[in-house]
């Protein structure tokens, strides 16, 4: 197993700031497996940034195209990025056909063109396509991981994050709130971009629905990072659903984890460990 390079460590530090569940989950990984686990998470976050990140659309699409080309090189081992060089040390990941990586990046491109969803189930299904392709890659090194539960957890956490960053999401052409919820409150998607009591009522109901969906996810097949993240996100959704300003509340604690996330992470680590 290769040792983590300074470059890989820098990516880990970068993403630990935005996702506190990452350093928590890495505490429960053996020193030998840590470089690979960290690199795999960081690659997923880098691709996620190119997929969902705000900013110039052409620049984001260019970054995503670069990652698509880079990941297509995994079976040959001719990768260039410091993170994918670490991943190429895994026989299981290197043995994956190029189609597995292409399915994931194709799903990422599709996310950028997604139309507004009519209901929560349709909204979830759209995000789940992306996460299912990613989880199928991850499950090659996490034998006990559930593709269904992990895809659902990833999709729900993404919807929460997209909602927290509502102005940026809408500016990028994505609507993380289902249309039937807007219709039920007599508010248009354009009006959702404006702060006010009507939007707050919509978002409280939206966060409440997300919390119910998160509560129903079977955690037995989640790896530590997803178990910790989902537990924290459930708490964030519940708090926002009862807040006077739900959007502000949901954004206020993204850099902190409740104590329950530590417990969830520990339990997941006892059940699902990487096979590096």
């Amino acid at each position: 197993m290769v040792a983590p390079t300074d470059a890989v460590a820098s990516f880990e530090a970068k993403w630990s700031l935005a996702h506190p569940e990452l350093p928590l989950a890495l505490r429960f990984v053996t020193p030998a497996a840590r470089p690979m686990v960290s690199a795999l998470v960081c690659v997923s976050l880098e691709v996620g940034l190119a997929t969902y990140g705000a900013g110039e659309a052409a620049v984001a699409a260019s970054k995503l195209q670069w990652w698509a080309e880079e990941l297509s090189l995994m079976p040959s081992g001719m990768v260039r990025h410091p993170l994918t060089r670490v991943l190429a040390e895994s026989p299981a990941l290197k043995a994956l056909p190029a189609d597995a990586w292409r399915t994931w990046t194709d799903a990422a491109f599709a996310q950028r063109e997604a139309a507004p969803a009519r209901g929560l189930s349709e909204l979830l299904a759209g995000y789940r396509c992306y996460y299912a392709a990613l989880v199928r890659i991850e499950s090659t090194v996490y034998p006990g991981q559930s593709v269904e539960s992990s895809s659902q957890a990833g999709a729900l956490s993404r919807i929460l994050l997209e909602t927290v960053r509502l102005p940026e999401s809408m500016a990028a052409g994505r609507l993380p709130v289902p249309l039937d919820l807007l219709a039920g409150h007599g508010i248009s998607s354009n009006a959702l971009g404006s702060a006010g009591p009507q939007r707050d009522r919509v978002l409280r109901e939206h966060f409440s629905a997300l919390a119910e969906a998160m509560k129903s996810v079977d955690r037995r097949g989640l790896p530590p990072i997803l178990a910790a993240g989902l537990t924290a996100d459930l708490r964030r959704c519940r708090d926002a659903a009862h807040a006077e300003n739900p959007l502000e509340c949901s954004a206020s604690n993204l850099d902190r984890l409740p104590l329950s996330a530590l417990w969830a992470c520990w339990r997941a680590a006892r059940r699902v460990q990487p096979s590096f």
Side-chain angles (χ1 to χ4, degrees):
M1 179 68 65
V2 298
T5 65
D6 290 343
V8 172
S10 72
F11 281 100
E12 184 180 308
K14 164 189 170 181
W15 286 113
S16 293
L17 292 173
H19 295 271
E21 64 270 23
L22 172 57
L24 174 61
L26 289 175
R27 294 182 187 178
F28 298 96
V29 177
T30 64
R34 176 170 176 148
M36 192 71 68
V37 171
S38 180
L40 186 56
V41 172
C42 289
V43 164
S44 73
L45 293 170
E46 289 290 323
V47 174
L49 180 62
T51 305
Y52 299 107
E56 179 62 40
V59 174
S62 178
K63 290 180 180 178
L64 188 53
Q65 182 60 45
W66 188 92
W67 275 109
E69 293 171 359
E70 174 74 359
L71 293 170
S72 72
L73 298 173
M74 278 292 296
S76 69
M78 302 298 290
V79 289
R80 302 151 291 178
H81 195 280
L83 293 174
T84 46
R85 286 175 181 170
V86 174
L87 297 186
E89 294 291 324
S90 164
L93 288 175
K94 192 175 178 182
L96 280 173
D99 281 351
W101 300 99
R102 189 177 303 113
T103 298
W104 180 32
T105 52
D106 284 350
F109 278 110
Q111 294 289 285
R112 298 187 57 81
E113 304 296 331
R118 289 168 292 184
L120 181 59
S121 60
E122 186 175 303
L123 185 65
L124 264 170
Y127 285 104
R128 212 163 40 229
C129 291
Y130 171 86
Y131 283 97
L134 169 60
V135 172
R136 289 189 185 99
I137 292 169
E138 294 175 339
S139 63
T140 63
V141 291
Y142 278 99
Q145 183 173 12
S146 164
V147 173
E148 175 61 29
S149 296
S150 297
S151 302
Q152 187 80 343
L156 284 164
S157 291
R158 173 54 62 178
I159 294 172
L160 169 61
L161 189 57
E162 291 280 285
T163 306
V164 170
R165 299 171 179 169
L166 186 62
E168 293 87 349
S169 299
M170 293 183 67
R174 296 189 301 275
L175 184 65
V177 178
L179 294 174
D180 62 355
L181 180 57
L182 300 182
H185 286 267
I187 181 174
S188 69
S189 56
N190 288 335
L192 192 65
S194 301
Q198 195 174 23
R199 184 178 78 173
D200 290 342
R201 287 192 291 271
V202 170
L203 291 179
R204 287 191 200 98
E205 187 173 339
H206 182 52
F207 284 124
S208 180
L210 290 179
E212 286 300 310
M214 289 176 181
K215 190 171 69 173
S216 70
V217 174
D218 185 350
R219 286 161 170 74
R220 288 172 296 180
L222 297 182
I225 189 168
L226 276 179
L230 185 67
T231 300
D233 286 342
L234 174 56
R235 173 70 174 271
R236 291 164 183 147
C237 284
R238 283 174 168 168
D239 288 347
H242 296 93
E244 182 177 351
N245 187 329
L247 200 58
E248 182 179 283
C249 176
S250 65
S252 66
N253 55 6
L254 289 178
D255 60 345
R256 299 189 299 275
L257 295 175
L259 187 59
S260 55
L262 173 61
W263 173 245
C265 194
W266 177 79
R267 293 185 66 187
R270 289 168 61 88
R271 292 189 294 255
V272 182
Q273 277 292 333
S275 61
F276 300 122

